Amino acid sequence: MAEPDQVDPFAHATVAVQDVHVRYRVPSTDAAERRRRTNPVARATRAVLGNDPKVVVRALSGISFVARSGEQVGIVGQNGSGKSTLLRIIAGLENPAKGRVLAESTPVLIGVNAALVPDLSGEQNIRLGCLAMGLSPEQAQAAVPEVKELAGLGKSIYLPMKTYSSGMGARLRFAIATAANPHILLIDEALATGDAAFKERSEARMQGLRQSAGTVFLVSHAAQTIEESCTRAIWLNHGRLVLDGPAEDVALRYRKWAWAIAKDKPEEARTILERAFSEREQTSVHVEEPQRPRRYTSRHVRPQQPSRRPDNGKG
C-alpha cells in the first residue's frame, strides 16, 4: 500500500469539493401501480399532460473534502452510493444542485475525455485520444509506443476497437489518459480488468503521477484494491460521506461493513456504519474568492473638465 506519510498534509490543494448536493428527478417505481388504482379520467389526463409521478433521488448530500498534490484518493461504497456521480461532478460533466467544485487544472476522467472511435484501430485511437486531450500531433505520435506498452494489448492494438472486450477498452483508455500526464486523473473501475502485469504497470504509472505532484481519484468496488493502491480513502453510503481517512483504515471498515451486509447481519452493519459516522471529522471547505483590482474614485470629486481660457470680452 502507498504510505500515507508520503503526502505532505500541508501540500497545496488541487481539488476542493464544497458542500456538494446532487439530486435527480426520476419516475417512481410504484407510479404505475398507483395509476392503475386511479380512475380512467385521471389516467388519461396524466398520459396527455405527461405529469407522471416522480421522486427525488439524492445522489450526493453535503459532500465536502480537499484533495492535495501527491495523493491517490480511493472512493468506496456499494452500488448506488454516489461514487461515479462524484467523479462526474469533479470532472465538470454534471452540475451540482448545490455547492461547487474547484480544481487546479482540468480533471481527466478515463473513458470520457478520450474521444475514441469504435471503427478505428487501437493504434489510431491512441493518436486521436491524445489529440483530444490537447497534445500536439508531434506529441501524440511520440506517445504511441508508451501507450501501446502500458495497455499491453499485443497485436490487438491494430484491430478496430469495436472488436475489443470491455476490459481491453478500459485498459486502452487508461493508457491514453495517462499519456498526457494529467495533473488530476479520475479513474472509474478501469483497473478492475486486466492481468497481473497490467495491474503492476498501471500502479507504477499512477505512482509516477503522484510523485510529479499530481492527484489521482480511483473508484473501485474492491476495497483491497483501494487499500493496496491508495494513500487515502473516502467511503460513501447513499450519497453521504461516511468516512475520510487513511486508505488502510477506511478500506478495512468498509470491508467489515460489506461482510456484515452479505451475511445478513443488519445490526452489526448498522453499528459499524454509525461508529464510522460518529468518528468522522467534519470537513468545512471555505474558498476565498480572488480579489480583483478595483478602481477607486472619490465620490466628492467630479471628473476634471478641459481647461478653458476665461472670456474677457476681447475675443
Side-chain angles (χ1 to χ4, degrees):
M1 188 190 87
E3 294 296 332
D5 59 3
Q6 291 178 348
V7 179
D8 182 358
F10 299 102
H12 71 271
T14 55
V15 176
V17 178
Q18 184 182 38
D19 192 28
V20 164
H21 295 252
V22 176
R23 305 183 186 96
Y24 300 116
R25 289 183 59 83
V26 296
S28 174
T29 55
D30 64 345
E33 180 62 26
R34 289 203 301 271
R35 283 199 300 270
R36 282 194 291 269
R37 295 175 183 173
T38 58
N39 58 63
V41 175
R43 291 200 302 270
T45 301
R46 289 196 182 96
V48 172
L49 298 179
N51 56 348
D52 288 337
K54 293 185 177 181
V55 296
V56 176
V57 176
R58 300 181 185 277
L60 294 174
S61 299
I63 304 297
S64 294
F65 64 85
V66 174
R68 303 184 182 279
S69 60
E71 284 189 318
Q72 181 160 319
V73 184
I75 304 176
V76 296
Q78 62 182 350
N79 289 334
S81 61
K83 303 186 301 297
S84 296
T85 299
L86 178 58
L87 284 198
R88 293 181 64 83
I89 290 293
I90 295 174
L93 300 173
E94 294 185 28
N95 293 322
K98 179 184 176 183
R100 59 179 177 170
V101 174
L102 290 91
E104 187 182 47
S105 60
T106 302
V108 173
L109 176 58
I110 289 181
V112 175
N113 297 65
L116 306 186
V117 179
D119 289 329
L120 297 182
S121 69
E123 184 182 42
Q124 292 170 316
N125 270 297
I126 293 174
R127 298 187 183 89
L128 179 63
C130 289
L131 292 172
M133 290 189 298
L135 272 65
S136 67
E138 294 76 17
Q139 291 172 325
Q141 182 60 38
V144 171
E146 183 180 356
V147 174
K148 283 183 180 179
E149 182 180 0
L150 178 56
L153 299 180
K155 293 186 177 181
S156 295
I157 198 72
Y158 305 110
L159 300 178
M161 268 201 70
K162 62 184 179 182
T163 65
Y164 291 4
S165 66
S166 59
M168 294 168 68
R171 289 162 62 178
L172 182 60
R173 286 183 173 88
F174 173 82
I176 293 173
T178 58
N181 291 310
H183 195 54
I184 303 170
L185 179 63
L186 313 175
I187 306 170
D188 193 350
E189 291 288 354
L191 305 183
T193 57
D195 54 19
F198 171 72
K199 181 180 178 181
E200 184 176 346
R201 292 194 303 271
S202 60
E203 289 179 353
R205 182 67 179 126
M206 288 190 293
Q207 184 178 2
L209 291 173
R210 292 200 308 273
Q211 290 175 346
S212 62
T215 304
V216 178
F217 289 86
L218 173 61
V219 165
S220 179
H221 288 91
Q224 184 176 355
T225 299
I226 299 297
E227 186 175 345
E228 294 174 350
S229 304
C230 300
T231 60
R232 172 182 171 189
I234 291 174
W235 175 7
L236 297 179
N237 183 268
H238 295 296
R240 298 174 63 195
L241 201 159
V242 178
L243 202 59
D244 178 0
E248 186 174 7
D249 177 55
V250 175
L252 178 61
R253 294 188 187 215
Y254 173 71
R255 273 198 284 179
K256 289 181 177 179
W257 175 85
W259 180 88
I261 292 293
K263 296 298 182 180
D264 195 21
K265 297 183 177 182
E267 291 299 326
E268 183 175 342
R270 182 161 42 252
T271 300
I272 295 172
L273 195 64
E274 291 176 352
R275 184 176 299 169
F277 270 121
S278 66
E279 295 179 4
R280 176 173 65 89
E281 294 183 5
Q282 297 294 328
T283 301
S284 178
V285 178
H286 175 70
V287 179
E288 294 184 358
E289 297 289 348
Q291 293 185 353
R292 297 180 179 178
R294 297 174 59 185
R295 300 171 121 187
Y296 293 97
T297 303
S298 173
R299 297 180 181 178
H300 306 290
V301 179
R302 295 182 180 179
Q304 187 176 8
Q305 299 294 328
S307 61
R308 301 176 63 182
R309 189 172 60 182
D311 186 0
N312 58 10
K314 294 184 180 181

